[in-house]
């Protein structure tokens, strides 16, 4: 059996390494590739992804997993080997159930669909995108059907991002959350509007860059095993646990955007930088799921980065960096400004109190589209109606409504809920951390994050993708994903800010 | 047969794409990778190289080539398909004759040997490097022996860089060249020394960068299909014909170094940017050989970049960029300064009149080591003796002598002669170009390079690696590689500068 295990690991290592080459090809494409290189790059990416898929879905891999899966049950369940075998078997089953023809068709359709979406968004004409989205939905329905029987057609899609999680779980979590979020928002809306105009004046780019770098260096982002570059969209990517990179972008008139985005990406990156060295060459050197990953970034961005103790330490430094902009703004004014709640049309610009509502709306629509209870042609109207219902604002155009996100054009259904789940997990972990580190606020107000990071390394980071998200969250907090912690967090924070 | 050809091409495309991923991994390693990423990167590179080697040396590839080789003879000899099959068959034969054990041992030994060389160079102790070099030589002898029978033990090594070329050809070319180069150098040495002190004062980096960018943009380097970054060592790399990148480095007190290096690398890059689109996905999207590649870079750097007409156009611009440094230096003084001949100890700093002598010395020593007529222990002494003989200078230390180059520590024997051959080819092509474009000097003196680049595209670049180097040079110039053109070029240039 040792021989089979060695051979299995050898194959997994090769596939993981190909994935890392692919990640670098993708990073470079978004960061440094000259425009003309697109065709060559597309070809190379297709080849590398194809080879890696072929290796993973090979008969040899299937035979090895068939023999190794019962063996894994004889191992210590938390051992690296047991986790690696089980997760690989799960992924193998998913990969092999999907026919190659579907994969090719999906790649073709989503490529066209993304072009159509861009045009539709630019022209503000949903009709351009409609027929493409219909085809994407059909393909996604067919995808789900490869995994029949399922409890819900959305389950196989969700599982791609949250291994083991069921649609019914997400729905019951969100059902508990929605009315409370809507209620909180109504209470806030009744209060005077916060003035954050000082955030919407020019801040020079180098100053933004330097301040952000200083912050995440103090967080514990390891520059010897990472770097930051500029890109159109901020993201984190890794080419191994010792090379985890982030990107950022700057808008001179929205300084807060780059700063919080830098903290956000550093949160993702510190997660992967903290994976145990024993997992170095395996796919387990990753986050447990999208939601757990998002909880890592959201925690640093919001619980830490938008907190009072944080700015107690950093605000004097920020004022020193930007005296013209902030000399007359008090720390309290600044704190209130970066925490201003304002129902808005665009998800990526939403504040902590409204963000999840954008997500819940999307999840409901995705599910209705897949169930067939909603037709693509009716989507813009239902979108606008739900926006009014949940957020109290109605998009004046589809560009600012149903066409705003790239996800559906690329077939990424099942992804959206992970953003909101990430918020919930971040609050659950935060409650536990505050119990375990009683003087956390004091540490943060002195710019000290080492105990916090050490806690995260021990409880979350080191495990990489060994455990399923629900298992990991339960193991650490005693409960699976739930909405109460997040609502307690929001209530506590905004009661003080808005005097609710 | 069409089916076999298609399958063969499919495999070659996949292998080529893996090679491009490998190239990007290498570029990033030298340009942007954080220090900590080295271990992960080494692993990924090993995997990708290993997969690509496995695919290329597979039985399927062998069977396909066996069937396709006779078929290639029925095709138009210059057709893409015929060239691709023949070159692949040649490489396949070379790859499969070398046992995997040798490849592994070679990788292991040269890794150790490079570490030892670095230490030996730092400490100026050849003895640290000696036992490692002995092992490298033994491995290289064994490598050559896999290709028995050969005319000369050096042939299989040379063939890795100059496909089809024989040691005896190189020796007879160099034998004709050596006395003439030595004689020219003696004549120059008898003349007054040129003052180039104005090149050895600080020039700011951004100014150097901007000027270099302007020059190569005018040459025709396509920034839409390339980019320049900083690296420890200047190099050119490509990830497809539409993404060919260069790097440069700056020494504030050796401004000429970065400038000519930028032109040099742009010469390499424009070669690969000019390969025919039909070769896009094949290994033929490369240079014909190292020598032909080097001829492309040397021509732009020397024949163009160190010429009088070039500076007629560019010198006023350079003075404008660096008024403090150059306001009191005439164009003639500058031209003489950048063409100063000075026998020196270090190859990479050598001028046009002495460079080839450094190479010939190295080739003779490589051959003697492989033939066994020279022992590694005697190498430093023989090195110093030959330096005195050819260049009239004797290294005061091994660091500035036999230990200066990285090549041997990495097992790169057979590579050095391509530098000198590149110089020779550049002059042969230059003579032909001057015949075909009679008013070339006039064009260059007006900053116009489009006709020159078009000529190169038509006659050299578009063919990529379709033809063997000697065949290509003969096809274009009517003669295989010879020394006379280069000597005519040197004589013409230096007679005027040194009043010989």
């Amino acid at each position: 059996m040792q021989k089979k295990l060695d051979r299995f690991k050898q194959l997994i290592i090769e596939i993981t390494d190909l994935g890392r080459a692919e990640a670098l090809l993708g990073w470079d494409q978004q960061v440094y590739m000259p425009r003309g290189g697109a065709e060559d790059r597309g070809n190379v990416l297709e080849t590398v992804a194809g080879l890696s898929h072929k290796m993973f879905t090979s008969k040899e891999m299937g035979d090895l997993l068939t023999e190794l899966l019962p063996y894994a049950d004889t191992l210590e369940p938390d051992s690296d080997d047991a986790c690696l075998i089980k997760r690989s078997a799960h992924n193998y089953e998913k990969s092999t159930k999907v026919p190659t023809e579907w994969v090719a068709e999906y790649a073709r359709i989503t490529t066209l669909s993304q072009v159509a979406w861009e045009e539709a968004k630019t022209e503000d004409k949903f009709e351009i995108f409609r027929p493409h989205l219909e085809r994407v939905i059909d393909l996604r329905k067919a995808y789900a059907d490869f995994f029949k029987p399922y409890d819900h057609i959305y389950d196989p899609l969700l599982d791609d991002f949250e291994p083991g999680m069921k649609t019914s779980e997400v729905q019951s979590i969100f059902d508990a959350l929605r009315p409370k979020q809507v209620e909180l928002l109504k209470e806030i809306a009744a209060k005077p509007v916060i003035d954050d105009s000082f955030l919407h004046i020019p801040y020079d780019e180098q100053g933004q860059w330097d301040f952000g770098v200083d912050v995440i260096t103090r967080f514990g982002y390891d520059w010897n095993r990472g770097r930051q570059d500029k890109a159109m969209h901020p993201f984190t990517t890794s080419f191994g646990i010792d090379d985890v990179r982030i990107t950022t972008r700057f808008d001179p008139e929205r300084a807060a955007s780059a700063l919080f985005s830098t903290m956000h990406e550093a949160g993702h990156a510190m997660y992967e930088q903290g994976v145990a060295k024993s997992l170095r060459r395996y796919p387990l050197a990753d986050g447990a799921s999208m939601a757990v990953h998002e909880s890592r970034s959201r925690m640093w961005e919001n619980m830490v980065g938008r907190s009072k103790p944080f700015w107690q330490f950093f605000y004097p430094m920020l004022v020193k960096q930007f005296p013209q902009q902030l000399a007359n703004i008090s720390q309290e004014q600044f704190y209130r400004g970066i925490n201003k709640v304002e129902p808005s049309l665009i998800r990526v610009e939403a504040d902590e109190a409204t963000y999840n509502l954008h997500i819940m709306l999307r999840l409901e629509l995705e599910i209705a589209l897949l169930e067939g209870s909603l037709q693509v042609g009716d989507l813009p109207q239902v979108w606008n109606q739900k926006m009014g219902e949940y957020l109290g604002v109605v998009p004046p155009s589809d560009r600012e409504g149903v066409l705003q996100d790239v996800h559906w054009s690329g077939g990424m259904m099942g992804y959206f809920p992970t953003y909101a789940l990430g918020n919930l997990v971040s609050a659950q972990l935060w409650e536990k951390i505050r119990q375990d580190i009683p003087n956390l606020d004091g540490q943060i107000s002195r710019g000290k994050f080492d105990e916090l990071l050490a806690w995260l390394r021990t409880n979350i980071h080191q495990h990489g993708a060994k455990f399923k998200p629900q298992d990991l969250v339960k193991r650490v907090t005693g409960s699976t994903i739930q909405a109460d912690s997040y609502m307690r967090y929001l209530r506590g924070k905004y009661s003080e800010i808005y005097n609710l």
Side-chain angles (χ1 to χ4, degrees), chain A:
Chain A
M1 194 56 75
Q2 187 58 43
K3 257 193 177 167
K4 306 243 179 224
L5 182 63
D6 288 346
R7 175 62 185 155
F8 161 72
K9 284 181 166 182
Q10 164 69 17
L11 284 175
I12 287 289
I13 282 173
E14 288 180 0
I15 293 161
T16 307
D17 283 345
L18 282 183
R20 287 168 179 180
E22 219 181 315
L24 181 69
L25 288 157
W27 171 84
D28 178 74
Q29 191 173 31
Q30 291 190 63
V31 176
Y32 290 119
M33 189 185 78
R35 188 189 291 260
E39 183 178 342
D40 290 322
R41 183 58 50 90
N43 288 334
V44 175
L45 276 166
E46 195 184 323
T47 294
V48 176
L51 282 173
S52 135
H53 181 78
K54 202 170 109 187
M55 286 165 71
F56 187 61
T57 57
S58 67
K59 187 173 174 309
E60 183 183 11
M61 178 63 82
D63 293 345
L64 285 166
L65 284 167
T66 306
E67 299 205 54
L68 288 169
L69 206 47
Y71 165 72
D73 287 330
T74 70
L75 299 173
E76 169 63 39
D78 288 359
S79 68
D80 291 356
D81 284 353
C83 293
L84 178 64
I85 293 168
K86 283 180 189 167
R87 193 166 182 116
S88 301
H90 180 73
N91 291 342
Y92 178 83
E93 206 199 329
K94 290 203 87 164
S95 296
T96 49
K97 279 194 174 165
V98 181
T100 319
E101 300 76 46
W102 184 92
V103 175
E105 178 73 355
Y106 177 74
R108 201 177 65 79
I109 293 292
T110 52
T111 302
L112 295 173
S113 161
Q114 282 177 80
V115 175
W117 166 75
E118 275 178 37
E119 197 192 334
K121 190 175 176 183
T122 308
E123 309 255 319
D124 193 25
K125 281 189 186 148
F126 181 75
E127 198 49 31
I128 297 173
F129 183 43
R130 188 191 48 77
H132 293 273
L133 184 54
E134 282 168 352
R135 254 166 282 162
V136 170
I137 303 278
D138 286 344
L139 275 169
R140 274 303 180 192
K141 283 180 184 169
Y143 178 82
D145 286 349
F146 297 134
F147 301 96
K148 270 186 171 169
Y150 44 63
D151 296 335
H152 192 285
I153 189 169
Y154 195 73
D155 282 351
L157 281 67
L158 180 65
D159 184 90
D160 284 350
F161 304 103
E162 294 303 315
M165 199 156 189
K166 297 291 174 201
T167 308
S168 57
E169 290 177 81
V170 178
Q171 283 176 318
S172 86
I173 295 165
F174 283 8
D175 285 346
L177 181 65
R178 192 181 313 97
K180 292 177 185 158
Q181 290 244 229
V182 172
E183 171 56 28
L184 174 68
L185 197 53
K186 275 190 188 145
E187 291 178 43
I188 291 173
K191 298 289 180 174
V193 173
I194 288 174
D195 175 20
D196 68 342
S197 54
F198 55 86
L199 292 174
H200 301 280
I201 54 175
Y203 286 68
D204 88 87
E205 196 174 302
Q206 190 60 46
Q208 292 190 46
W209 176 280
D210 292 343
F211 187 79
V213 163
D214 187 27
V215 169
I216 66 175
T217 304
R218 287 171 194 269
F219 280 176
Y221 177 70
D222 184 349
W223 295 97
N224 190 40
R225 303 187 295 129
R227 52 179 287 125
Q228 180 176 250
D229 296 272
K230 287 184 218 168
M232 284 281 285
H233 304 282
F235 64 95
T236 299
T237 185
S238 98
F239 319 127
I241 52 179
D242 288 335
D243 190 354
V244 188
R245 305 186 190 181
I246 60 177
T247 69
T248 190
R249 66 171 165 196
F250 295 98
D251 180 339
E253 307 234 343
R254 290 184 62 234
S257 165
L259 174 58
F260 289 107
S261 155
T262 297
M263 297 191 218
H264 182 99
E265 299 307 330
H268 281 302
M270 289 186 290
Y271 188 1
E272 298 202 22
Q273 283 185 336
V275 171
K277 303 277 182 206
S278 65
L279 304 177
R280 176 189 292 280
R281 303 211 62 185
Y282 303 104
L284 301 182
D286 194 353
S289 75
M290 291 307 304
V292 177
H293 231 307
E294 193 70 6
S295 84
R296 300 305 67 240
S297 55
R298 285 299 208 171
M299 191 207 81
W300 288 100
E301 176 194 356
N302 292 328
M303 278 76 183
V304 176
R306 291 184 207 267
S307 74
K308 270 199 165 163
F310 177 89
W311 289 107
Q312 236 170 288
F313 182 79
F314 283 103
Y315 193 61
M317 294 162 67
L318 188 68
V319 176
K320 213 169 162 188
Q321 182 79 259
F322 297 106
Q324 274 190 307
Q325 291 89 343
L326 296 173
N328 298 317
I329 307 297
S330 72
Q331 190 176 308
E332 179 66 18
Q333 277 176 292
F334 182 82
Y335 171 71
R336 287 165 57 84
I338 57 168
N339 283 299
K340 178 183 181 178
V341 174
E342 188 173 40
S344 65
L345 301 170
I346 308 298
R347 174 184 61 86
V348 297
E349 292 168 11
D351 52 70
E352 287 183 85
T354 56
Y355 191 92
N356 285 349
L357 294 167
H358 290 269
I359 296 304
M360 289 187 255
L361 173 154
R362 284 158 177 75
L363 174 66
E364 288 164 27
L365 297 178
E366 282 187 353
I367 288 179
L369 287 167
L370 286 159
E371 284 177 339
S373 59
L374 172 65
Q375 298 310 305
V376 172
D378 299 327
L379 192 53
Q381 184 216 323
V382 180
W383 178 287
N384 292 351
Q385 177 204 320
K386 276 190 193 282
M387 280 296 290
E389 210 174 300
Y390 295 171
L391 285 145
V393 289
V394 177
S397 71
D398 288 337
R399 189 190 306 185
E400 293 157 283
V402 69
L403 288 173
Q404 68 182 265
D405 290 310
V406 68
H407 301 60
W408 290 343
S409 73
M412 297 251 281
M413 273 128 188
Y415 191 108
F416 277 127
T418 72
Y419 292 124
L421 293 171
N423 282 332
L424 306 190
V425 173
S426 73
Q428 288 177 259
L429 291 172
W430 196 241
E431 282 189 340
K432 177 73 174 125
I433 291 167
R434 297 186 77 89
Q435 284 166 24
D436 290 353
I437 313 178
N439 66 337
L440 182 63
D441 280 353
Q443 294 181 17
I444 293 178
S445 70
R446 292 193 309 279
K448 286 286 180 201
F449 303 94
D450 44 340
E451 200 177 336
L452 172 58
L453 184 57
W455 189 98
L456 292 168
R457 291 242 155 113
T458 305
N459 291 284
I460 311 278
H461 299 181
Q462 64 160 325
H463 302 310
K466 281 175 71 171
F467 308 122
K468 288 183 181 169
Q470 289 282 43
D471 296 344
L472 178 66
V473 174
K474 189 162 186 190
R475 168 188 294 252
V476 180
T477 69
S479 152
T480 52
I481 302 176
Q482 42 81 359
D484 294 344
S485 300
Y486 191 64
M487 281 315 300
R488 274 194 291 273
Y489 162 74
L490 286 186
R491 276 266 158 211
K493 180 168 191 171
Y494 290 113
S495 293
E496 198 254 343
I497 293 173
Y498 279 97
N499 201 16
L500 301 180

